[in-house]
Amino acid sequence: MQITITKSDKLKQRPDDSNLGFGSIFTDHMFNMDYNPEEGWHNPRIEPYSNIIMDPATMVLHYGQSIFEGLKAFKTNSGIIRLFRPTDNFKRLNISARALCIPKVDEDFICFALKQLLNIEKDWVPNAKETSLYIRPTIIAMDPFLGVRASNTYRLFIILSPVGAYYKEGFNPIKIWVTKNHVRAVNGGLGNVKTAGNYAASLYAGEEARKNGYTQVLWLDGIEHKYVEEVGSMNIFFVIDDEIITPGLSGSILPGITRDSVISLAKMWDLKITERKIGIDELVDAHESGKLQDIFGSGTAAVISPVGEIKYGKKVLTINNGKVGTMADKFYKAITDIQYGRAEDPLGWIEEVII
Ligand code: COI
């Protein structure tokens, strides 16, 4: 399929790289492609970034049939643009598509289209330390119809946003709030899928956490309200007595690509790492006995985010005196060094964008 390219005749003013924040600035162009049953995925095009005009009855607006990915492009000191594990993101997009009854995309073609888009937007990949170009591929249901069924038509788009740190704390410990009253997902539902509804389901508890001075929610399992699942926008890791523990992919947890990167690096370094159920009571006990050494989250947007405090009911657990832990620091450095080309890429995660 040939990608049609229409360049914008009015380029935006690019932002100051040193003060980017997350997710509010978008580049000049986007990639679009449509699906209908007669033509399949068709009309791939790069065109000026613009609004999507839709009928008020468009299904995605009513029933949330929508999936997305998040990945990043990085600029090395010598100006080369690199993608981190893009193939894994597009594989996961198709897993999400299946769960939401959305037609599969050709992973290689979408990755090629992304590289074409990056080629046009290369000057938008920021240069300042620890900044990147966040990439958001999304598929939405487009039928104008109010009955509940899978849509027949879809739009796939990719937008790009130059970003700095996801949290206002940057690479400093965040405080997380364990919610007892709400659940994010249950096994058999959509918790392991990157779909809009999971994030909608997280908002109420997220607001509750924020009102109480906490940055994110730590979710417990939906049945016993006992086992740790994940944090609002990240997977979670605990270091107890020199063992790194992360909740196993039980069916209601997002299979994060950064999560997988942490596990793979830990195995490569011969660290003790275990994927298993971990109860909130086990965490409290480990904290009380002085064995809880470190907690950190992992995600594309957040990379590695140290956790300095957990609030669970009346209990407040301060982790590592509220300072960045050794393991959080080690994984953050290793992953970002690979991403920015400051270190070798021992596990073959990087794809360069040839310009
Ligand atoms: C990511 O880490 O890329 C995410 O998708 C999480 C969040 C920003 C929704």
Side-chain angles (χ1 to χ4, degrees), residues 22 68-72 89 92 134-136 166 194 199 232-234 254 258 298-303:
F22 185 88
F68 68 93
E69 274 302 317
L71 65 157
K72 281 175 172 170
N89 284 95
R92 191 173 63 181
Y134 186 79
I135 299 161
R136 176 52 64 86
Y166 183 67
K194 217 155 170 60
Y199 297 84
S233 50
M234 317 184 281
L254 190 83
T258 314
S298 68
T300 297
V303 195

Side-chain angles (χ1 to χ4, degrees), residues 236-307:
I236 188 91
F237 289 82
F238 307 96
V239 185
I240 301 177
D241 215 7
D242 292 332
E243 178 186 8
I244 308 167
I245 302 162
T246 192
L249 298 177
S250 58
S252 51
I253 294 174
L254 190 83
I257 290 163
T258 314
R259 173 188 182 277
D260 181 73
S261 306
V262 169
I263 295 171
S264 304
L265 286 172
K267 288 184 178 162
M268 190 179 83
W269 294 332
D270 282 331
L271 298 176
K272 190 167 182 208
I273 183 147
T274 317
E275 296 176 68
R276 67 162 167 89
K277 277 186 162 187
I278 174 158
I280 187 76
D281 292 340
E282 182 181 342
L283 274 188
V284 172
D285 290 349
H287 183 258
E288 278 168 10
S289 61
K291 291 183 175 166
L292 179 56
Q293 296 154 298
D294 201 350
I295 305 185
F296 59 92
S298 68
T300 297
V303 195
I304 297 294
S305 179
V307 174

Side-chain angles (χ1 to χ4, degrees), residues 1-200:
M1 256 190 307
Q2 183 74 25
I3 301 174
T4 312
I5 297 177
T6 311
K7 293 256 184 93
S8 172
D9 49 18
K10 199 161 164 271
L11 299 184
K12 298 173 186 169
Q13 168 110 36
R14 284 204 303 278
D16 170 9
D17 284 1
S18 59
N19 193 18
L20 285 174
F22 185 88
S24 57
I25 299 162
F26 303 97
T27 70
D28 292 308
H29 299 89
M30 65 191 292
F31 173 77
N32 283 303
M33 184 159 86
D34 301 303
Y35 179 91
N36 65 38
E38 299 75 40
E39 295 166 282
W41 284 109
H42 64 283
N43 194 14
R45 57 205 186 274
I46 291 172
E47 48 197 2
Y49 186 99
S50 66
N51 293 343
I52 297 176
I53 295 172
M54 48 173 84
D55 189 297
T58 302
M59 291 186 82
V60 67
L61 301 176
H62 301 270
Y63 307 124
Q65 196 191 4
S66 153
I67 56 174
F68 68 93
E69 274 302 317
L71 65 157
K72 281 175 172 170
F74 303 86
K75 201 176 260 174
T76 65
N77 282 338
S78 51
I80 294 167
I81 295 171
R82 297 151 64 92
L83 288 163
F84 185 70
R85 306 188 67 172
T87 317
D88 295 300
N89 284 95
F90 292 118
K91 257 192 210 141
R92 191 173 63 181
L93 185 70
N94 266 339
I95 294 171
S96 303
R98 197 186 154 146
L100 271 289
C101 302
I102 292 172
K104 260 180 90 167
V105 295
D106 178 337
E107 292 159 26
D108 292 338
F109 179 73
I110 300 300
C111 202
F112 169 74
L114 168 62
K115 288 177 183 167
Q116 297 283 104
L117 178 63
L118 288 171
N119 195 3
I120 291 172
E121 301 293 62
K122 54 184 172 288
D123 293 340
W124 279 91
V125 184
N127 278 308
K129 195 167 183 294
E130 314 302 285
T131 60
S132 58
L133 190 66
Y134 186 79
I135 299 161
R136 176 52 64 86
T138 305
I139 305 181
I140 53 175
M142 290 298 286
D143 282 6
F145 180 62
L146 291 185
V148 178
R149 58 154 171 77
S151 180
N152 290 316
T153 58
Y154 297 89
R155 164 75 67 91
L156 179 154
F157 61 87
I158 304 177
I159 53 173
L160 309 174
S161 174
V163 297
Y166 183 67
Y167 298 119
K168 68 173 177 7
E169 290 89 339
F171 184 64
N172 288 305
I174 59 162
K175 291 163 61 174
I176 56 180
W177 167 271
V178 184
T179 181
K180 285 179 168 178
N181 304 330
H182 305 97
V183 296
R184 175 184 168 274
V186 288
N187 205 345
L190 291 173
N192 56 351
V193 174
K194 217 155 170 60
T195 183
N198 284 330
Y199 297 84

